[in-house]
Amino acid sequence: MDDTAEFEEFVRSRGHALYRYGVVLTGDPDDAADLVQEALLRLGDAWSRVRRKDDPEGYVRTIMVRQHISWWRRRRRERLVDAVPETGYQDERLAGDGGLWAEIRALPRRQRAVLVLRYYEDRSDEQIARMLGVTPATVRSQAFRALRKLRVLTSRDGVVLTARRTR
């Protein structure tokens, strides 16, 4: 299979997952689509090199996080959505947690990015710090603040939130 066919197959098989990841990062379906498109354009340019590595999807997700941060620094404003759009891709980790994802979307962008990378992507603080261009201490403080906000929000609703790392 040639490079172009492999790249097209990767986009077909992982495109929906990357879009949902983009929605979680940006909180906006239109921004998520732009983010995925930009990341896939960059991946297409480097596909022959990246496809030989162990994790091309991880490479794309890193591009998406960095691009999102770049846009977010430029804009410095938030646009939240009421609901994450549904697509054909279903992730079992999201089943039954619609309320929690709504609360996560209400967090500031940096806190939301840290929580998504830490708990959804299961990244270490050092990996997150490299991806976001901050120190590990900043990652920990952003995670602490985000979890504190989530605990306050969920305790008002009578739900107790406990976050557990898998590592």
Side-chain angles (χ1 to χ4, degrees):
M1 187 180 293
D2 68 338
D3 283 353
T4 304
E6 283 183 20
F7 178 70
E8 289 173 358
E9 177 57 31
F10 174 80
V11 172
R12 269 192 301 280
S13 66
R14 300 308 302 156
H16 291 298
L18 293 170
Y19 174 70
R20 286 188 56 85
Y21 181 68
V23 170
V24 171
L25 276 177
T26 65
D28 180 88
D30 295 327
D31 286 345
D34 291 343
L35 190 62
V36 171
Q37 183 177 4
E38 180 68 29
L40 290 175
L41 281 172
R42 292 181 183 200
L43 175 65
D45 293 340
W47 180 251
S48 61
R49 176 177 43 87
V50 173
R51 72 179 175 85
R52 292 183 297 240
K53 301 210 184 252
D54 291 338
D55 188 18
E57 186 169 351
Y59 181 86
V60 175
R61 288 177 184 244
T62 300
I63 291 172
M64 290 173 68
V65 168
R66 289 180 178 162
Q67 185 65 40
H68 172 62
I69 290 168
S70 174
W71 292 349
W72 148 54
R73 285 180 177 156
R74 235 177 298 155
R75 285 189 243 167
R76 294 283 184 191
R77 60 186 164 94
E78 285 191 37
R79 290 185 297 163
L80 301 177
V81 296
D82 293 331
V84 175
E86 290 302 318
T87 63
Y89 175 76
Q90 293 294 321
D91 190 332
E92 298 84 41
R93 295 177 291 179
L94 299 178
D97 286 338
L100 177 59
W101 285 105
E103 300 296 344
I104 290 173
R105 281 193 307 272
L107 293 172
R109 288 179 183 254
R110 184 179 285 185
Q111 290 177 6
R112 184 171 57 230
V114 166
L115 288 187
V116 167
L117 291 169
R118 180 184 265 189
Y119 296 107
Y120 187 78
E121 289 291 310
D122 199 27
R123 305 280 182 163
S124 70
D125 291 345
E126 291 75 22
Q127 290 172 321
I128 297 168
R130 278 193 306 275
M131 291 173 83
L132 299 180
V134 298
T135 66
T138 301
V139 169
R140 289 188 292 275
S141 70
Q142 290 296 308
F144 173 80
R145 289 182 182 119
L147 291 173
R148 184 176 58 202
K149 283 182 184 181
L150 288 176
R151 284 185 187 104
V152 168
L153 293 171
T154 55
S155 67
R156 285 186 204 147
D157 297 334
V159 177
V160 177
L161 173 69
T162 57
R164 284 175 267 162
R165 298 277 316 246
T166 56
R167 290 181 192 212

